[in-house]
């Protein structure tokens, strides 16, 4: 029988014996553990674990046999064959630097995923210089009057395409509370992050006017609380009094690209587990 590679992730109330039970089960199934990481959250008293392993046993048989352990330890868990790529929908607006970066990393194999489509509130002509290959493109314009209908159409695309995760690659429209709720745990956003925070138009220009010395970017899960969902990845860079607003924008774009691609890579390799208002991210 052909050996397959698998990712197993789980969370449960912490109690003794979880690691032993999981590793013993994989061993008895003929598996070979290649990487294992775990985290005991003292605050929530929950245990988190990710295991990467190879095994000649097929996935359905592994899942069936694992049910007893799952019941015994009250696990919330997922077992996925690495070859079963996750299905991603990318949303973008006129700012296309994150979109282009994700497409490039996908093409060279850095981001193993199936791109189900690209959604934008702007027409295809805005991206005339970008090669979308055979990826479906959906133009979903939105106004305050059409927002409800536009989001209904988006949910239809997500359902029809069996999308696992929606990526807001600098999609410059705020999702409604209803849509945010329906996409809970299935939508990642990226935005600038400053100390202090500058909201509204031209945040980099606001930051420059205040003489800021540090700029950053944050990738997080989307919730109805604007930009306050569980954080997956962040990064920062230093700036000086000599940097112009355009310099801040340029450096900010670089941060947004790298932070979003890292967050998506962690997700695609099952390294991200939501833990209430925060997240557990097992590094690679």
């Amino acid at each position: 029988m052909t050996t397959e590679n698998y990712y197993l992730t789980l969370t449960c109330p912490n109690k003794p014996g979880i690691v032993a039970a999981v590793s013993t089960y994989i061993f008895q199934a003929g598996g070979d553990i290649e990487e294992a990481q775990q985290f005991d959250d003292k605050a929530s008293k929950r245990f988190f674990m990710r295991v990467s392993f190879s095994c000649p046993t097929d996935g359905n048989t592994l899942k069936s046999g694992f049910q007893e352990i799952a019941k015994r330890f009250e696990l919330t868990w997922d077992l996925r064959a690495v070859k079963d790529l996750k299905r991603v929908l990318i949303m973008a607006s006129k700012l296309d630097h994150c979109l282009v970066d994700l497409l490039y990393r996908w093409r060279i194999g850095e981001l193993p995923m199936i791109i189900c489509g690209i959604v934008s509130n702007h027409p295809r002509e805005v991206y005339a210089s970008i090669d979308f290959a055979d990826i479906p493109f959906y133009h979903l314009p939105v106004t305050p009057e059409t927002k409800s209908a536009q989001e209904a159409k988006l949910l239809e695309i997500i359902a029809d395409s069996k999308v696992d995760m929606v990526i807001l690659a600098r999609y410059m429209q705020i999702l409604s509370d209803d849509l945010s709720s329906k996409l809970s745990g299935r939508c990642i956003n990226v935005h600038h992050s400053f100390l202090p925070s500058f909201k509204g138009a031209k945040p980099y220009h606001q930051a420059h006017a205040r003489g800021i010395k540090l700029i950053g970017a944050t990738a997080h899960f989307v919730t109805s609380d604007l930009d306050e969902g569980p954080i997956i990845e962040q990064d920062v860079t230093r700036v000086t009094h000599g940097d112009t607003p355009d310099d801040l924008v340029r450096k900010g774009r670089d941060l947004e690209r790298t932070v979003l691609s890292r967050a998506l890579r962690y997700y695609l390799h099952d390294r991200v587990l939501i833990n209430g208002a925060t997240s557990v991210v097992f590094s690679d």
Side-chain angles (χ1 to χ4, degrees), residues 270-282:
D270 293 352
R271 294 184 177 274
V272 184
L273 297 173
I274 294 177
N275 182 20
T278 183
S279 64
V280 173
V281 181
F282 292 118

Side-chain angles (χ1 to χ4, degrees), residues 122-171:
H122 297 282
R124 177 68 178 86
E125 291 72 30
V126 170
Y127 312 100
S129 62
I130 305 176
D131 179 13
F132 289 162
D134 57 353
I135 300 172
F137 179 84
Y138 303 95
H139 176 210
L140 300 183
V142 59
T143 66
E145 295 74 25
T146 64
K147 189 177 185 68
S148 178
Q150 191 252 19
E151 291 190 341
K153 178 60 178 177
L154 175 62
L155 286 172
E156 182 182 315
I157 293 171
I158 291 171
D160 290 346
S161 301
K162 297 180 174 59
V163 171
D164 296 306
M165 181 62 69
V166 176
I167 303 297
L168 304 184
R170 298 300 281 145
Y171 179 67

Side-chain angles (χ1 to χ4, degrees), residues 57-192:
T57 305
D58 72 272
N60 289 333
T61 301
L62 283 172
K63 290 179 181 179
S64 177
F66 197 70
Q67 293 291 345
E68 188 277 327
I69 295 175
K71 183 177 180 181
R72 190 197 327 164
F73 291 100
E74 303 175 78
L75 303 183
T76 298
W77 61 287
D78 183 64
L79 176 67
R80 178 174 69 92
V82 175
K83 69 177 183 180
D84 295 334
L85 301 182
K86 294 191 175 183
R87 302 174 63 82
V88 172
L89 183 72
I90 303 175
M91 300 184 67
S93 294
K94 283 187 177 180
L95 298 175
D96 61 9
H97 54 287
C98 287
L99 170 62
V100 171
D101 184 70
L102 294 181
L103 290 175
Y104 170 73
R105 294 177 191 270
W106 166 70
R107 285 193 176 102
I108 66 173
E110 183 178 320
L111 296 175
M113 60 184 174
I114 296 172
I115 302 180
C116 300
I118 297 168
V119 170
S120 178
N121 55 317
H122 297 282
R124 177 68 178 86
E125 291 72 30
V126 170
Y127 312 100
S129 62
I130 305 176
D131 179 13
F132 289 162
D134 57 353
I135 300 172
F137 179 84
Y138 303 95
H139 176 210
L140 300 183
V142 59
T143 66
E145 295 74 25
T146 64
K147 189 177 185 68
S148 178
Q150 191 252 19
E151 291 190 341
K153 178 60 178 177
L154 175 62
L155 286 172
E156 182 182 315
I157 293 171
I158 291 171
D160 290 346
S161 301
K162 297 180 174 59
V163 171
D164 296 306
M165 181 62 69
V166 176
I167 303 297
L168 304 184
R170 298 300 281 145
Y171 179 67
M172 306 304 290
Q173 296 290 320
I174 297 175
L175 306 187
S176 69
D177 288 351
D178 180 62
L179 181 59
S180 296
S181 177
K182 290 176 179 176
L183 293 180
S184 177
R186 297 195 297 146
C187 185
I188 295 174
N189 185 30
V190 65
H191 62 84
H192 63 82

